[in-house]
Amino acid sequence: MKKIQAIRGMNDILPNQTPHWQMVEDTLRSVLASYGYQEIRLPLLEPTELFQRSIGEVTDIVEKEMYTFTDRNGDSLTLRPEGTAGCVRSVLQHGLLPPQRLWYYGAMFRHERPQKGRYRQFYQIGVEVLGPEGPDVDAELILMTARFWRQLGLKGLRLQLNSLGSPAARATYRERLVDFFTAHQDCLDEDSRRRLHSNPLRILDSKNPALQEMIEQAPRLLDYLDEDSRDHFEALQDLLDIAGITYEINPQLVRGLDYYTRTVFEWVSDQLGAQGTVCAGGRFDGLVEQLGGQPTPAVGFALGLERLITLLGEQGCLKEPAMVDLYLVAVGPQAERQSLLLAEHLREAMPSVRLQINYGGGSFKSQLKRADRSGARWALILGEDEVVQGTVSVKDLRKAQPQQSMSQSKLPDYIRQQH
Ligand code: ATP
Ligand code: MG
């Protein structure tokens, strides 16, 4: 019979990879805690309308990437393509008062063409601060991400910055941009022509190399910024300079979602090929109001775990952790009967030690082979003699050392000393 495969673009994370994921997740969580941010857990499914209203109808995500279906009640539901909309929805629904410093972690779903660094189910850590409008928050988020990279040992990420200004300034700029692209219509590809009137800023974000030269000639949003946004952007740069964070200003940097205003930033790597953005964020001062709340400035970012872990792997930052410390070998019927209980006692005495027992009997030799394959540092040997004497033998599997025999009650102290 044909074996069933996972859905294209949806990955299993196998047991040899989960320790890497856990290490990264633990590091990110502890950094988030050190800034006093709180976790929020949100549903995977939301009403489709939430994303249409927040992300914007004419974005790639809403136009062609959402997993949308009608449920048994006839309601249109969507698997979340990102977390900001759900986070804001939840804050409004439960009346959480600003300021809020929040983070969430979990799977996101987008029907994109699967390739390296681009999947249909992928994981993000997202961080959102709702309430304050000053550039100090934007700076703090950037410092936090810089701390992520330092704690993980990641090198070579470049920070790109831009400002999208106020909606009004952007509207003026948008007209200039449409004029410019209309004058160069012959050079546009099909995608860009489609976007020319619906979402011309997205043309700046085109990945098509043939368009790059023309895009560089296009009017720059930075030249159209309103005064408040320009001050905000300069103050942010000043804070980053003081903190010793280097950045590049990229006037072409726009985001795939409509709700951004003012600050946008991305952390980019040259080591990941076309999918080089590991982390992306910015301000979305209008979103809360757009979703029915009081006007509330907000800023946040989302970090893609797959790209981050791939990069950590390429830079040799992921260690191969040992899965177990001890493997309990039991030879003979009495020893087999006792081993389960002995293991329980040992776990009680050494809660942080990882202990596997041998399943299903087998000869001494075959059990020792399994002990070796388990990756354990020590084999604990319980034979008929040990059962009679209340002892256990300890064999170091990684160093040539004589086998030791000791009373079962002394074992925890012995392991602690060696550990
Ligand atoms: P891209 O330009 O790469 O399509 P995006 O603008 O759609 O990115 P965001 O919505 O800002 O990305 O998501 C933030 C981060 O989430 C990205 O920088 C990336 O690390 C990760 N990400 C986004 N889409 C995917 C995907 N399909 N597969 C894996 N990771 C993704
Ligand atoms: Mg995308």
Side-chain angles (χ1 to χ4, degrees), residues 37-47 50-51 54 80-97 100-105 108 124-130 259 284 287-288 291 298-301:
Y37 285 51
Q38 289 181 299
E39 184 183 11
I40 184 166
R41 298 194 184 188
L42 304 158
L44 298 188
L45 278 174
E46 295 279 0
L50 175 67
F51 302 112
S54 59
R80 62 180 186 191
E82 53 97 57
T84 304
C87 181
V88 170
R89 190 239 350 109
S90 175
V91 164
L92 291 179
Q93 182 174 337
H94 300 286
L96 304 185
L97 294 174
Q100 294 288 329
R101 299 169 165 86
L102 302 172
W103 65 271
Y104 51 81
Y105 173 57
M108 306 293 157
Q124 282 184 342
I125 283 229
V127 179
E128 324 284 3
V129 180
L130 307 178
Y259 51 62
F284 43 99
L287 181 62
V288 176
L291 290 177
V299 56
F301 66 81

Side-chain angles (χ1 to χ4, degrees), residues 75-243:
D75 297 325
S76 180
L77 307 183
T78 295
L79 275 165
R80 62 180 186 191
E82 53 97 57
T84 304
C87 181
V88 170
R89 190 239 350 109
S90 175
V91 164
L92 291 179
Q93 182 174 337
H94 300 286
L96 304 185
L97 294 174
Q100 294 288 329
R101 299 169 165 86
L102 302 172
W103 65 271
Y104 51 81
Y105 173 57
M108 306 293 157
F109 302 85
R110 296 184 196 175
H111 194 273
E112 304 196 70
R113 192 170 67 79
Q115 52 196 293
K116 188 185 174 204
R118 197 175 286 292
Y119 310 102
R120 289 179 172 174
Q121 173 173 329
F122 60 96
Y123 289 81
Q124 282 184 342
I125 283 229
V127 179
E128 324 284 3
V129 180
L130 307 178
E133 75 178 318
D136 47 348
V137 195
D138 311 34
E140 176 175 270
L141 290 182
I142 290 172
L143 291 177
M144 178 194 280
T145 47
R147 185 172 300 280
F148 286 159
W149 320 142
R150 267 203 310 282
Q151 296 279 61
L152 292 164
L154 198 61
K155 301 245 154 57
L157 284 183
R158 288 181 292 115
L159 174 63
Q160 304 208 331
L161 275 189
N162 193 17
S163 175
L164 298 180
S166 65
R170 206 156 16 141
T172 317
Y173 170 69
R174 185 190 148 116
E175 281 171 29
R176 297 289 84 76
L177 201 60
V178 172
D179 293 346
F180 172 84
F181 284 130
T182 309
H184 293 78
Q185 205 158 17
D186 296 347
C187 315
L188 295 180
D189 58 12
E190 201 191 310
D191 238 18
S192 310
R193 254 186 228 127
R194 196 168 46 82
R195 284 178 178 148
L196 181 55
H197 294 284
S198 61
N199 196 352
L201 265 75
R202 281 289 280 167
I203 303 178
L204 299 175
D205 196 30
S206 165
K207 310 268 179 334
N208 183 350
L211 297 185
Q212 295 314 311
E213 206 176 311
M214 179 197 54
I215 287 173
E216 276 173 29
Q217 305 301 316
R220 293 158 26 120
L221 178 47
L222 279 179
D223 299 328
Y224 290 81
L225 287 191
D226 52 294
E227 210 180 315
D228 285 350
S229 296
R230 195 172 314 129
D231 291 348
H232 193 277
F233 193 39
E234 274 165 16
L236 170 62
Q237 291 170 56
D238 185 46
L239 290 169
L240 295 178
D241 291 338
I242 295 170

Side-chain angles (χ1 to χ4, degrees), residues 61 65 82 110 112 117-120 122 124 202 205 207 255-257 260 266 275 277-280 302-307:
I61 294 182
E65 295 175 358
E82 53 97 57
R110 296 184 196 175
E112 304 196 70
R118 197 175 286 292
Y119 310 102
R120 289 179 172 174
F122 60 96
Q124 282 184 342
R202 281 289 280 167
D205 196 30
K207 310 268 179 334
R255 311 273 332 116
L257 310 110
Y260 284 105
E266 286 194 357
Q275 273 58 250
T277 304
V278 175
C279 174
L303 194 171
L305 270 282
E306 284 80 0
R307 293 184 196 175

